[in-house]
Amino acid sequence: MKQGGQHPIAAGVTALVAVAVGVGLIIGIGMFVGANIMGLGGGAADDQATDPDAGASLYAPSPKPTKTANGPAITLDASPTSAPEKQAASTSPTPSKTVEEKPAKKEITLQAGIVAATPMERIDLTGIYPGGEGAILRLERNDGQGWGEFGIPDVRVTGEQFSTPIQSGRVGRHKFRMKDIDTGTYSNVVTVTIG
């Protein structure tokens, strides 16, 4: 052995440790860069702490009013049975007012399965009649000559719903409605063009 020199084994171990540290640093830097590129880095959490929208990927557009369609085949009553009351903010307690609810208005809603048919093609008429359980409905038609009975058996409301198939050989534009024979209440009008 030489005096004052380094042992060859110690020099080899030192070199091996230096190479391992260098390779570890290169791999660590590569993993850090790769994680940040893929969005897995810890920086996003720090950004979200100061900016809640940082890194957000969901976009919701601002609400806009919808346009109403012209000439719906079915019309429903969208008015509520009772409107909520707005109370003004005050420091003194005020007695609450009770709102008397009106009974729901019975309305017959009629709908045609198709709006254009060939002569004698089956047309399914369906609808709902809230509160009209057991009512007897009569179908009426207006083909330009005024309203008259269509000439099919009366239809009974079951489960607040009704349906009947019809056929007509008369060519032209026909309007149909249902009539509650007890109360005289009419449904909305649906139009079917035959021809």
Side-chain angles (χ1 to χ4, degrees):
M1 271 176 62
K2 294 182 177 179
Q3 292 277 350
Q6 198 172 17
H7 193 276
I9 294 178
V13 170
T14 304
L16 187 59
V17 168
V19 169
V21 168
V23 169
L25 282 172
I26 292 172
I27 290 174
I29 292 170
M31 289 178 65
F32 177 75
V33 170
N36 281 333
I37 289 173
M38 293 173 45
L40 301 174
D46 295 338
D47 292 344
Q48 287 181 351
T50 57
D51 182 9
D53 293 331
S57 62
L58 179 63
Y59 170 75
S62 301
K64 295 180 181 177
T66 57
K67 295 179 181 177
T68 57
N70 293 336
I74 182 171
T75 304
L76 299 174
D77 183 17
S79 63
T81 56
S82 64
E85 291 186 10
K86 294 183 179 178
Q87 293 182 344
S90 66
T91 55
S92 63
T94 57
S96 62
K97 296 180 182 178
T98 57
V99 178
E100 186 177 317
E101 289 191 23
K102 298 176 184 175
K105 189 176 179 183
K106 292 183 180 181
E107 291 189 3
I108 306 170
T109 303
L110 179 64
Q111 182 176 355
I114 55 176
V115 294
T118 58
M120 298 309 292
E121 181 179 354
R122 177 184 169 131
I123 303 166
D124 290 314
L125 298 177
T126 60
I128 58 173
Y129 191 8
E133 184 67 30
I136 305 296
L137 304 179
R138 185 164 293 149
L139 181 64
E140 294 183 347
R141 170 176 59 183
N142 184 344
D143 57 0
Q145 306 296 319
W147 289 102
E149 292 181 17
F150 185 69
I152 62 169
D154 292 337
V155 179
R156 180 176 294 277
V157 177
T158 306
E160 297 188 343
Q161 300 179 3
F162 60 91
S163 67
T164 185
I166 62 168
Q167 294 175 310
S168 178
R170 271 193 214 170
V171 175
R173 190 171 179 214
H174 302 270
K175 295 179 180 181
F176 294 98
R177 69 183 181 186
M178 290 297 235
K179 176 185 178 182
D180 184 332
I181 61 173
D182 292 329
T183 66
T185 303
Y186 288 101
S187 73
N188 59 300
V189 176
V190 295
T191 303
V192 179
T193 303
I194 299 175

